[in-house]
C-alpha cells in the first residue's frame, strides 16, 4: 500500500469507552475531525480550571514506566496514549481532536485493534494539505546497558525488535517487518500488552495496574500463560513491543520514513531515541511526497 501524499482526518466522530490499565478509571473518548496541520491534540474534558489541551510531543512525555504519559505546561497529564497513537499513525490519521474525560486512555483489550475498529467505523477524510513525513538522514542510536534503540535511513518505514525474558513462555523473540497500514493491520494491531503475575501487587502498591486483568493483558506466571484463550500469536510479546514503539515514535509529529530497531527496549528508550533525534536536526528532515511528485513532473 503506497503512502498517502495528503493529510487525513476522521470522517465522523469515533466514540469508545473503557478502563485505564493503571488508574482503573473508567473514561469515555471521542475522536473528532481537526483541520489540516493541527496534528493530534488531546483534550481532558474533566479539567476545567486550567489549560486542558495536551499535544503529544517528545518533550511532553513526562513518564515512561509501563506506558507513555504526556503533560502540558499547566501540569495536566494523560497516560497510556501509545496504543491509540499507533493506530492513528498507521491508519493515516494526521489530524484529530481526542476528547477524554479522565486521566488515562482506556486499555480496551490491551492492543490497538479496538482503536482500529472504531476509527474504521468513523471513516477517514482526505484533506488538501500535503502530509509531512519524518525522513531519517543519519543513524541515531541510544543505549542503556544491553538495551538500545535506533533510527536509520531507509526507503520506507521498517521496524525490527528483539526481546529476551527468562520465562519459557516468552524466551527470546525477534520480528523484522516493512510497516505500512496493511502490515500493521495484519501483523501487529491485535497484539496485546503483557505482564507477570508476581509484579502486579508491587505495581498496585505504587498506583499502577489497578485496572489490569486477563481481559486486557497477557498474564504470565513463571513459565505459564494464565489467559484461558492463550496467545493470539506465538510471538505476540515482541509484536506488541513493536506496536508500542510505533505509537511512541508518533510524538515526532508525523510518520517516519526510516528503519527503527529496538533491542530489549521499552517506552523510556523509545522516548530517549525521539529526544536524541530531535537534538540532531541534521539527522532528519521533513519530507512531502507531493513535492516529490511535483519535482518528478
Amino acid at each position: 500500500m503506497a503512502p498517502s501524499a495528503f493529510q487525513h482526518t476522521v470522517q465522523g466522530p469515533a466514540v469508545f469507552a473503557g478502563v485505564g490499565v493503571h488508574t482503573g478509571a473508567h473514561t469515555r473518548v471521542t475522536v473528532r475531525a481537526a483541520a489540516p496541520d493541527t496534528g493530534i491534540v488531546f483534550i481532558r474534558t474533566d479539567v476545567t480550571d486550567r489549560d486542558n489541551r495536551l499535544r503529544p510531543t517528545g518533550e511532553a512525555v513526562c513518564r515512561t514506566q509501563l506506558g507513555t504519559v504526556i503533560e502540558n505546561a499547566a501540569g495536566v497529564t494523560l497516560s497510556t496514549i501509545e496504543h491509540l497513537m499507533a493506530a492513528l499513525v498507521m491508519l493515516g490519521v494526521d489530524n484529530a481532536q481526542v476528547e477524554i474525560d479522565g486521566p488515562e486512555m482506556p486499555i480496551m483489550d490491551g492492543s490497538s485493534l479496538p482503536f482500529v475498529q472504531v476509527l474504521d467505523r468513523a471513516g477517514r477524510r482526505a484533506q488538501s494539505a500535503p502530509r509531512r513525513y519524518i525522513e531519517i538522514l543519519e543513524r541515531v542510536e541510544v543505549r542503556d546497558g544491553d538495551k538500545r534503540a535506533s533510527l536509520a535511513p531507509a526507503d520506507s518505514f521498517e521496524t525490527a525488535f528483539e526481546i529476551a525474558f527468562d520465562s519459557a513462555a516468552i524466551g527470546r523473540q525477534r520480528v523484522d517487518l516493512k510497516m505500512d497500514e496493511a502490515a500493521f493491520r495484519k501483523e501487529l494491531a491485535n497484539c496485546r500488552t503483557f505482564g507477570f503475575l508476581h509484579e502486579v501487587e508491587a505495581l498496585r502498591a505504587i498506583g499502577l495496574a489497578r485496572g489490569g486483568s486477563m481481559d486486557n493483558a497477557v498474564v504470565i506466571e513463571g513459565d505459564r500463560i494464565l489467559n484461558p484463550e492463550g496467545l493470539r500469536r506465538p510471538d505476540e510479546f515482541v509484536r506488541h513491543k513493536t506496536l508500542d514503539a510505533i505509537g511512541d515514535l508518533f510524538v515526532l509529529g508525523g510518520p517516519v520514513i526510516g528503519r527503527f530497531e529496538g533491542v530489549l527496549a521499552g517506552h523510556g528508550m523509545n522516548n530517549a531515541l525521539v529526544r536524541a533525534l530531535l537534538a540532531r536536526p541534521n539527522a532528519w528532515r521533513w519530507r512531502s511526497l507531493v513535492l516529490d511528485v511535483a519535482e518528478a513532473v
Side-chain angles (χ1 to χ4, degrees):
M1 185 179 296
S4 174
F6 291 93
Q7 295 177 25
H8 286 70
T9 189
V10 290
Q11 179 70 38
V15 182
F16 54 93
V19 172
V21 67
H22 295 308
T23 60
H26 190 277
T27 54
R28 178 181 173 87
V29 181
T30 303
V31 183
R32 300 187 187 278
D37 296 320
T38 297
I40 307 301
V41 180
F42 291 95
I43 300 176
R44 284 276 305 272
T45 59
D46 59 312
V47 176
T48 59
D49 62 340
R50 51 192 160 147
D51 182 16
N52 63 357
R53 299 170 67 87
L54 300 97
R55 288 191 174 275
T57 65
E59 296 79 5
V61 175
C62 62
R63 292 196 301 277
T64 54
Q65 184 180 16
L66 302 178
T68 295
V69 184
I70 56 174
E71 183 176 16
N72 68 11
V76 177
T77 64
L78 182 63
S79 303
T80 321
I81 65 169
E82 59 273 10
H83 300 167
L84 175 61
M85 290 287 282
L88 288 169
V89 68
M90 294 314 304
L91 268 62
V93 178
D94 305 279
N95 306 300
Q97 179 174 294
V98 184
E99 301 171 358
I100 179 169
D101 63 0
E104 183 180 17
M105 289 294 303
I107 191 64
M108 309 304 279
D109 73 346
S111 78
S112 283
L113 183 59
F115 301 126
V116 169
Q117 292 169 335
V118 297
L119 290 170
D120 281 347
R121 288 197 292 271
R124 285 167 291 178
R125 172 167 54 86
Q127 298 174 294
S128 58
R131 172 173 290 159
R132 299 201 308 162
Y133 291 79
I134 303 275
E135 183 179 19
I136 307 302
L137 303 177
E138 299 175 5
R139 180 180 175 84
V140 176
E141 182 177 83
V142 293
R143 288 178 175 265
D144 180 9
D146 55 355
K147 302 175 185 178
R148 58 183 171 87
S150 64
L151 282 165
D155 292 335
S156 60
F157 184 36
E158 302 175 6
T159 58
F161 216 106
E162 183 175 343
I163 61 172
F165 287 85
D166 291 335
S167 170
I170 304 177
R172 183 172 290 274
Q173 300 181 357
R174 178 177 170 80
V175 67
D176 194 328
L177 298 165
K178 286 195 171 183
M179 190 50 52
D180 59 11
E181 180 181 342
F184 181 77
R185 289 176 179 272
K186 178 182 177 183
E187 305 288 351
L188 300 181
N190 72 338
C191 295
R192 298 162 293 174
T193 192
F194 59 94
F196 292 88
L197 185 63
H198 70 270
E199 296 175 344
V200 171
E201 289 306 317
L203 290 171
R204 286 179 175 166
I206 60 172
L208 298 176
R210 291 177 177 174
S213 72
M214 283 186 282
D215 292 330
N216 53 43
V218 178
V219 182
I220 305 146
E221 182 179 27
D223 295 329
R224 297 187 304 127
I225 305 293
L226 297 186
N227 301 59
E229 75 279 10
L231 296 175
R232 292 177 175 175
R233 300 167 183 266
D235 59 351
E236 185 171 0
F237 306 101
V238 73
R239 289 173 183 266
H240 182 78
K241 297 288 273 188
T242 306
L243 183 159
D244 277 345
I246 291 171
D248 288 343
L249 288 177
F250 193 31
V251 300
L252 286 166
V256 170
I257 298 176
R259 178 177 175 82
F260 168 82
E261 294 187 8
V263 177
L264 312 182
H267 298 294
M269 291 294 291
N270 295 340
N271 186 246
L273 178 61
V274 165
R275 289 173 182 256
L277 181 71
L278 294 175
R280 288 182 51 187
N282 292 333
W284 63 280
R285 67 173 178 176
W286 290 108
R287 178 176 168 188
S288 167
L289 301 186
V290 174
L291 296 178
D292 289 354
V293 171
E295 289 172 0
V297 174

